Amino acid sequence: MQRIRLRYTKRGRLRFTSHRDFQRAFERALRRAEVPMAYSAGFTPHPKVSYANAAPTGTGSEAEFLEIQLTEARDPEALRALLDESLPDGLDVVEAVEARTSGLADRLQASVWELRLDGVEPAEARKAVAAFLAAGTVEVERRTKNGMRTFDARGAVVRLEALESADDRPGDRPCAILRLVVRHGTPAVRPDDVLSGLRATADLAPPVPAAVTRLAQGLLDEESGTVTDPLAPDREAVPAAPPMAARADLPLASQGGPAAKAPEGPA
């Protein structure tokens, strides 16, 4: 079987789709594009699709990943184009590579998030960020299926900075932009947990809900706090093309070897 890894996005109004909504839309796209999917065994077979670390409902993303298994080999780029045409605008398949390494989920170690805080002055945001980073621990609460849970939102934050205000803000309304790098772990620390931590440490409370977008996820460089592309190892593992065999219908000289001698004899 061939394994293909895809990167897709959640943009615009499609950011409000749940992970289950996306699963249904993607399986319809597989059927519409006539992808030769491999199926699980059992009484109710399902297409072999592995989803990795989906973004929470309500957040946009430029870096969602999944892997599919095929029964027939397909060109990854042609497959990407077919699936992208079969999905609604906003759910866009932007990259496809053949899986040549193992452990894609293990390479999703951290995420880069952008948080747009409309109605918040950038100076106020910078002050709140400084207070959050200076804290040793920042305890927040989140409701889970087992009830309320308290955990530290500070320990998972690798980087947090306030950028310059957005250029597309409406009128004279202030807008602060936060850039966040958060390490994946258990329990998972989400952007809204960090916002809760900013409210707890600096009383930062945006007047409207923050617009949150995942910009990247992948391997974490602990020293620099940067996140690298998780599909890069698969691209680098593509075998080099074999050298072109010497053609029997060309003279030896044209193949880069010693020139053929002219026949001896009288002119």
Side-chain angles (χ1 to χ4, degrees):
M1 289 184 289
Q2 184 188 34
R3 294 181 297 133
I4 301 291
R5 289 169 177 166
L6 305 172
R7 178 170 70 90
Y8 67 94
T9 69
K10 288 173 60 180
R11 297 168 174 163
R13 292 186 301 172
L14 273 298
R15 69 196 300 132
F16 297 105
T17 56
S18 68
H19 181 54
R20 183 165 295 182
D21 291 333
F22 173 77
Q23 286 179 308
R24 287 193 289 261
F26 186 69
E27 290 187 13
R28 285 196 297 268
L30 290 172
R31 293 192 294 269
R32 193 174 296 121
E34 299 181 346
V35 178
M37 289 295 300
Y39 280 78
S40 62
F43 187 72
T44 55
H46 296 283
K48 289 191 174 182
V49 184
S50 299
Y51 301 93
N53 196 40
T57 302
T59 62
S61 181
E62 295 294 315
E64 300 298 288
F65 295 93
L66 60 82
E67 179 180 300
I68 59 177
Q69 294 188 32
L70 312 182
T71 57
E72 300 174 12
R74 290 290 187 270
D75 175 67
E77 176 55 26
L79 181 64
R80 183 208 65 77
L82 283 172
L83 288 172
D84 188 49
E85 292 175 359
S86 301
L87 285 166
D89 291 340
L91 298 178
D92 306 317
V93 182
V94 294
E95 194 171 3
V97 300
E98 184 171 1
R100 298 179 180 274
T101 61
S102 60
L104 172 64
D106 294 336
R107 295 202 290 269
L108 302 182
Q109 298 175 349
S111 289
V112 182
W113 297 93
E114 182 179 276
L115 289 67
R116 179 183 175 119
L117 310 180
D118 285 309
V120 175
E121 293 285 353
E124 182 184 1
R126 287 192 290 269
K127 182 179 178 181
V129 165
F132 181 92
L133 295 176
T137 61
V138 179
E139 290 192 346
V140 298
E141 288 186 335
R142 187 204 304 158
R143 184 174 298 280
T144 68
K145 62 182 180 180
N146 297 321
M148 294 299 293
R149 181 170 184 178
T150 302
F151 57 93
D152 175 28
R154 175 64 184 90
V157 175
V158 180
R159 290 177 59 188
L160 176 61
E161 57 185 336
L163 308 180
E164 294 300 320
S165 60
D167 295 331
D168 60 344
R169 61 190 186 278
D172 296 329
R173 189 175 187 180
C175 178
I177 303 294
L178 303 185
R179 188 67 55 83
L180 167 69
V181 179
V182 61
R183 185 185 295 104
H184 299 166
T186 304
V189 173
R190 303 173 180 174
D192 56 332
D193 298 323
V194 176
L195 288 173
S196 297
L198 291 169
R199 184 166 54 249
T201 56
D203 199 27
L204 181 69
V208 296
V212 180
T213 303
R214 173 149 55 192
L215 302 180
Q217 63 172 322
L219 288 164
L220 174 64
D221 185 328
E222 293 281 358
E223 184 174 348
S224 65
T226 57
V227 175
T228 60
D229 183 4
L231 299 182
D234 294 299
R235 293 193 209 92
E236 295 167 359
V238 175
M244 186 176 66
R247 290 178 55 184
D249 59 338
L250 293 179
L252 188 60
S254 67
Q255 298 180 22
K261 294 183 178 180
E264 296 181 358

